[in-house]
Each structure stands twice: as structure tokens, then as C-alpha cells.
Amino acid sequence: MSLNAIELAAKAKINLSLDITGIRENGYHELCMLMQSVELYDTVRLERDDAISVRTNLYYLPVNRQNIAYRIAERFFEKTGIAGGARISITKRIPVAAGLAGGSTDGAAVLKGLNRLYETGLTMEEMCELALPVGSDIPFCLRGGTMLTEGIGEKLTRVPSIPKCHILLCKPSFGISTEAAFREFDTREKAEHPNTPLLLKALAEGDLETLAGNMKNVLADMARPNHRDIGAIEERMKADGALGAVMSGSGPTVFGIFRDKEAALKSYHTMRKSYREVFLASPEYCPVEP
Ligand code: ATP
């Protein structure tokens, strides 16, 4: 019997590294990123309906075509030729505009959910192709786990999973514009890049210390001088026992990687005294595809 409704967990992502390796003629930045999905998630519920509609628990989020979930659904029905729609209900827990791919992961969940609800049998490759024009992080969000992404998000390689650890996330209350962060990078003459081969070797060897100790995000170097909290949170987490701490994506969320759960929990409580949006999560381990 076919389903009428389905509920999915849309996981947030962090950047274990973020490097800008070039710029294309159309202005798109070529990136090289080690991405990791984490067990901090929005809940996305889909019900069959005649038209597409979106509702969320956050009054300030758009519910029209400006919502990534809406645009993905629209593309799904366009591409599959199905004359139908979906009532999409999103319960947000992932901080918005935070460098955690909140919108992209909702879009990925909508696509996976519609594929099941309407039994369209799209393969992972087909879903990635359908989603890429809507958002460059969506192909990763469709897959999850630990992955190396290159190009404009289209080249994905599964890499060994991150060793068991605890991830503390803290989002300061200000926002950082993704465009502004990239624009500022373009004006810089030189940048200190992550050592991606070293990070990959650390993953292959299950060496959490080397991995966490060498995490690097070129956009964090832009953000630190303008936003004191970024460096302060990174330092605070390291002082609390994190093996490494760095800003995720275009920020402003900073995350720290802890081996020791007690230390992570203690740091969580310290952070909560100064910041409202603090979360303790574990990594998501390579989910079953699609
Ligand atoms: P990334 O890490 O991919 O750069 P982000 O975490 O920085 O993304 P989002 O949380 O995806 O940023 O939000 C960016 C913008 O997208 C917000 O200004 C928001 O209004 C819009 N948006 C559209 N759809 C959604 C959605 N489903 N959830 C959150 N934001 C959305």
C-alpha cells in the first residue's frame, strides 16, 4: 500500500575543513571541503496533497518559493511529471543562517521523502543532479556521513568515517552574510589553506587528535577580526578540552570536537551561560543510501 505521509530527520552539517581553491568565470568559487553530518536535525513531515505548501515553527522563515524546501518540491514535480503536491511541515532545530546547511538539509529531506512517498525510484545520482541547481550543499546533505566535496559541490567522495567523538556547537547571536564572506576572501592576497591530505590521512588512520587539531576554514580567518566571539569561542572550547575548534561554513557557528563526553558536557554548560544556541551532538555515521 502506498504511503500518505512520511517524516524524516534532516541533519545539520559541519565543515571539518573549508578551502577555496579557485574561482570560475561565472564567479562561482571552487571549494574543497571535508563535510560531516551531525545528529542535530530538523524534522520534515510530508503529506500528499494537490499543491505544494510549506509551514514551519519559525514565523520569520519564508514559506513560498524562497524556502529551499518549496523549490526542491517544485523541481521534483516538474522533473518527474507527477501532477501532485505536498504539504511540507518543518520543525526547525538547526539554527538559521548559521553555516550548518539548515535550508539545504531540509531540501534534501524533502527530495528523499517525495521519492519514497510517490515511489519514483530516483537514484542518488539523479537526486543529486536534480538538487544541485537549487543549492550546492544539497548533494552532500542527501548523502550525509563523512565526505570530501569538491568543485561547486558536485564532486563527492566518500571518505573513512570520523572516529567516535562528541561535537559541541555554539552559534553566537549575530549573522554573517555568505556572499560578504566570499567577497572578502577575494580581496585577500594570500590565505592559509587547510592541509587536506593530512586530514584525509588522519581519517584513514582513525587519528582524532590529528584530525581535530588540523581543522581549518579559510573563511574563519576573515570572520575572526570582525567578530571577537568567533576566536573567543574557539579558544574557550579548546581550554575546556576540545581537541580542536573552528567555525563551520560561512559561520558564525563554531564547533569543537571532544573525545571526552564529560568535558564536552561541562563545556556545554559553560557556553550556555553566554550563548542561547548551544548544542551537543554526535556525528552521523554513513547512512544507508538512498
Ligand atoms: P549554508 O551552511 O549552506 O551556507 P546556512 O546554514 O548558513 O547555509 P540556512 O540556515 O540554510 O543557512 O539559511 C540561509 C537562508 O536561507 C536564510 O536567510 C533563510 O531565510 C533561507 N531559507 C530558505 N529555506 C530555509 C529553510 N528551510 N531553513 C532555513 N532557512 C531557509
Side-chain angles (χ1 to χ4, degrees):
M1 211 180 77
S2 56
L3 292 171
N4 264 327
I6 189 166
E7 199 169 282
L8 298 98
K11 312 279 168 84
K13 66 88 191 162
I14 52 170
N15 290 91
L16 300 171
S17 71
L18 189 159
D19 198 7
I20 300 174
T21 51
I23 183 157
R24 293 190 180 174
E25 270 177 19
N26 56 10
Y28 282 16
H29 288 83
E30 295 255 358
L31 304 175
C32 176
M33 309 187 280
L34 256 181
M35 314 261 267
Q36 175 65 53
S37 53
V38 297
E39 298 289 347
L40 163 65
Y41 57 90
D42 295 342
T43 305
V44 176
R45 185 179 159 78
L46 304 169
E47 286 166 74
R48 281 174 187 259
D49 207 349
D50 299 332
I52 302 167
S53 62
V54 175
R55 64 186 64 194
T56 87
N57 58 326
L58 300 181
Y59 70 91
Y60 53 85
L61 275 188
V63 290
N64 53 14
R65 290 198 77 248
Q66 283 174 340
N67 198 302
I68 298 176
Y70 190 107
R71 286 208 298 284
I72 282 285
E74 206 173 45
R75 242 176 112 71
F76 171 85
F77 290 111
E78 224 172 75
K79 292 275 165 189
T80 56
I82 291 172
R87 176 195 285 253
I88 305 168
S89 313
I90 306 172
T91 308
K92 294 288 306 177
R93 287 187 207 85
I94 304 171
V96 175
L100 300 173
S104 303
T105 195
D106 292 348
V110 166
L111 184 51
K112 272 197 262 190
L114 289 176
N115 196 29
R116 278 189 228 154
L117 207 54
Y118 284 95
E119 297 170 348
T120 31
L122 297 177
T123 62
M124 181 55 83
E125 284 68 31
E126 286 167 336
M127 285 197 284
C128 287
E129 203 179 306
L130 185 154
L132 187 66
V134 180
S136 57
D137 281 344
I138 308 181
F140 168 75
C141 293
L142 282 164
R143 291 195 138 106
T146 316
M147 295 201 94
L148 181 71
T149 78
E150 293 166 278
I152 53 157
E154 80 286 12
K155 191 170 170 230
L156 294 171
T157 313
R158 176 74 60 208
V159 298
S161 299
I162 190 169
K164 187 174 178 298
C165 62
H166 306 279
I167 299 168
L168 181 62
L169 303 108
C170 176
K171 183 196 169 280
S173 55
F174 56 87
I176 294 180
S177 142
T178 306
E179 282 90 46
F182 278 97
R183 238 183 291 123
E184 185 160 351
F185 178 86
D186 292 340
T187 64
R188 296 274 164 125
E189 298 226 318
K190 45 178 198 249
E192 211 187 299
H193 296 274
N195 186 344
T196 308
L198 177 70
L199 294 169
L200 290 172
K201 184 166 173 276
L203 279 173
E205 291 171 354
D207 179 351
L208 189 63
E209 274 76 11
T210 302
L211 177 75
N214 289 280
M215 295 187 301
K216 183 143 189 66
N217 175 347
V218 291
L219 296 177
D221 295 343
M222 315 288 117
R224 271 186 219 101
N226 299 329
H227 305 284
R228 278 191 54 243
D229 289 61
I230 305 277
I233 298 170
E234 288 172 343
E235 289 316 312
R236 177 78 243 175
M237 286 186 182
K238 286 191 238 176
D240 286 349
L243 301 173
V246 73
M247 189 179 89
S248 181
S250 53
T253 305
V254 172
F255 68 92
I257 292 192
F258 291 76
R259 188 184 286 289
D260 182 40
K261 190 171 183 182
E262 288 306 309
L265 208 52
K266 204 159 161 243
S267 189
Y268 167 85
H269 288 297
T270 312
M271 293 293 168
R272 282 284 289 150
K273 289 184 188 144
S274 309
Y275 301 96
R276 205 170 48 86
E277 294 183 280
V278 187
F279 309 88
L280 192 52
S282 47
E284 183 192 27
Y285 288 100
C286 187
V288 180
E289 294 182 1

